[in-house]
């Protein structure tokens, strides 16, 4: 079932929020992303970007909270939300080392050969971590 397009104002706030976060203004960016979410509460992009921002800022509880919201909004999946949510929960339980969720999430920014080598190492170290 297709959902309605978010209001233009929500899209603009989302874009400004992502840009602010990208420029290092996490507080301002999160405020704009939250405003976008309030205008379009069924649109998963703003909470997804909030969750990712919180993850990169080492705020696992908030990241988990927002990834859970994304999971409810898009139960069939939305980019890496399901994997990120499961990884954060495992880390918070102590099943994965501290900082693992953030490190795994940042692998996507590595060049392909470097990413592949990191994933191969990860499989050797944590063979039960299926996403690797």
């Amino acid at each position: 079932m297709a959902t309605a397009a978010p209001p233009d104002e929500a899209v603009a706030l989302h874009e400004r929020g992502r840009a602010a976060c990208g420029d290092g203004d996490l507080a301002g960016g999160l405020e704009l992303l939250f405003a976008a979410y309030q205008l379009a509460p069924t649109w998963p992009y703003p909470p997804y970007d909030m969750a990712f921002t919180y993850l990169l800022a080492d705020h696992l509880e908030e990241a988990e909270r927002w990834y859970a919201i994304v999971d409810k909004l898009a139960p069939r999946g939305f980019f890496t939300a399901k994997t990120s949510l499961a990884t954060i929960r495992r880390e918070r339980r102590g099943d994965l080392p501290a900082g693992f969720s953030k490190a795994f999430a940042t692998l996507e920014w590595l060049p392909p050969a470097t990413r592949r080598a990191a994933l191969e190492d990860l499989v050797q170290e944590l063979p039960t971590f299926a996403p690797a």
Side-chain angles (χ1 to χ4, degrees):
M1 173 168 79
T3 59
D8 290 343
E9 185 179 354
V11 172
L13 287 167
H14 176 249
E15 289 172 1
R16 288 177 44 216
R18 285 181 60 136
C21 289
D23 289 341
D25 179 10
L26 300 186
L30 286 165
E31 187 176 307
L32 290 164
L33 292 170
F34 185 71
Y37 170 68
Q38 288 179 309
L39 286 176
T42 62
W43 187 36
Y45 271 100
Y48 179 80
D49 287 331
M50 289 177 68
F52 188 67
T53 300
Y54 279 118
L55 177 60
L56 294 181
D58 297 316
H59 296 288
L60 284 187
E61 286 183 33
E62 283 298 309
E64 179 181 5
R65 175 178 171 237
W66 287 102
Y67 277 125
I69 290 170
V70 174
D71 196 43
K72 286 181 183 173
L73 293 173
R76 295 184 60 169
F78 191 80
F79 297 102
T80 65
K82 285 191 177 293
T83 300
S84 296
L85 182 58
T87 303
I88 289 168
R89 287 177 172 164
R90 286 183 67 187
E91 181 178 337
R92 292 190 69 217
R93 277 194 315 263
D95 297 339
L96 294 170
F100 183 88
S101 300
K102 177 180 177 178
F104 184 72
T106 60
L107 288 177
E108 71 180 271
W109 298 331
L110 297 176
T114 306
R115 181 174 48 241
R116 180 176 179 87
L119 289 169
E120 287 172 354
D121 289 345
L122 184 56
V123 168
Q124 293 299 314
E125 291 176 37
L126 294 166
T128 62
F129 186 68

